[in-house]
């Protein structure tokens, strides 16, 4: 057996925690909660929480909660994802493999793709590093109708080393929220410099709050962009009782 797989829907969730101060959490193989094709079933949610560093890497440490592909109607909604590092010790969240909470595709001409999900990365004491993986909450594709509405990416840091940094200039490390006009990136709060300057980032709107004097915010987008209000979203609660809704 390799990684963790469920067939999604509201009950098909994944929750993993390593809450001791030295309890690192390394995702080396895939977490997959995409349902079987054929209905508008939502992807299962994923919660990962640790007192130490959280790292997506290894051979195939991806997280995929894409909604079901549908041959009879709209695609399924992407499942919500919440990664939370507590303040037990200072440590980073490192995204070295893809996080995908996209909407499910549909092959029926009259129906739209599924809506993208919500991805929240929250670090109570440390940085968020996007090193070699994309975050994708795009709407699902449609054969002849409309791509589903995109979801929201939320990033939050605290502590003395709360930078948010993105490496690379290709879609392999981009933040993607395409479909409709809803795709959003919210840096809810950051205590360090924010550098999200990948030329292929693609969201519809962005908002940010830098909570430490003298720290900067830099963002680059490939297409049209609005600096706007991004509504806080999220329904998940980690084992430490920290909520994804910032």
């Amino acid at each position: 057996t390799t990684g963790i797989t469920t067939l999604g829907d509201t009950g098909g969730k994944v929750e993993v925690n390593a809450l001791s101060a030295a309890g690192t959490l390394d995702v080396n193989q895939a977490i997959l909660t995409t349902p079987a094709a054929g209905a508008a079933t939502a992807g299962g949610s994923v919660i990962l929480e640790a007192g130490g560093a959280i790292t997506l890497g290894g051979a195939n440490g991806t997280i995929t909660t894409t909604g079901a592909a549908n041959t009879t109607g709209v695609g399924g909604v992407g499942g919500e994802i919440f990664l939370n590092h507590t303040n037990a010790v200072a440590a980073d969240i490192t995204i070295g493999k893809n996080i995908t909470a996209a909407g499910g595709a549909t092959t029926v001409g009259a129906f739209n793709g599924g809506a993208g999900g919500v991805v929240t990365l929250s670090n109570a004491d440390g940085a968020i590093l996007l090193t070699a993986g994309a975050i994708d909450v795009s709407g699902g594709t449609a054969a002849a109708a409309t791509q589903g509405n995109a979801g929201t990416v939320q990033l939050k840091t605290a502590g003395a080393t709360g930078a948010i940094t993105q490496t690379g200039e290709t879609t392999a490390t981009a933040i993607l929220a395409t479909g409709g006009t809803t795709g959003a990136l919210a840096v809810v709060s950051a205590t360090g410099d924010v550098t999200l300057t990948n030329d292929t980032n693609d969201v519809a709107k962005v908002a940010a709050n830098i909570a430490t004097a003298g720290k900067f915010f830099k963002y680059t987008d490939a297409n049209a962009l609005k600096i706007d209000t991004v509504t806080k979203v999220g329904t998940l609660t980690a084992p430490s009782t920290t909520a994804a809704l910032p």
Side-chain angles (χ1 to χ4, degrees), residues 11-98:
K13 61 185 179 180
V14 171
E15 183 177 302
V16 178
N17 63 85
L19 294 182
S20 70
T24 60
L25 180 54
D26 296 326
V27 181
N28 294 327
Q29 294 292 341
I31 298 172
L32 176 65
T33 66
T34 298
T41 309
S45 63
V46 173
I47 299 173
L48 303 182
E49 184 173 53
I54 300 174
T55 303
L56 273 58
N60 188 32
T62 58
I63 302 174
T64 305
T65 62
T66 300
N70 198 352
T71 57
T72 61
V74 298
V77 175
E80 185 177 351
I81 298 171
F82 181 28
L83 274 59
N84 184 56
H85 168 245
T86 71
N87 63 356
V89 295
D92 298 335
I93 296 175
T94 302
I95 307 304
K97 296 291 182 180
N98 291 345

Side-chain angles (χ1 to χ4, degrees), residues 91-119:
D92 298 335
I93 296 175
T94 302
I95 307 304
K97 296 291 182 180
N98 291 345
I99 294 176
T100 306
T106 180
T107 58
V108 181
F111 294 95
N112 298 338
V118 176
V119 172

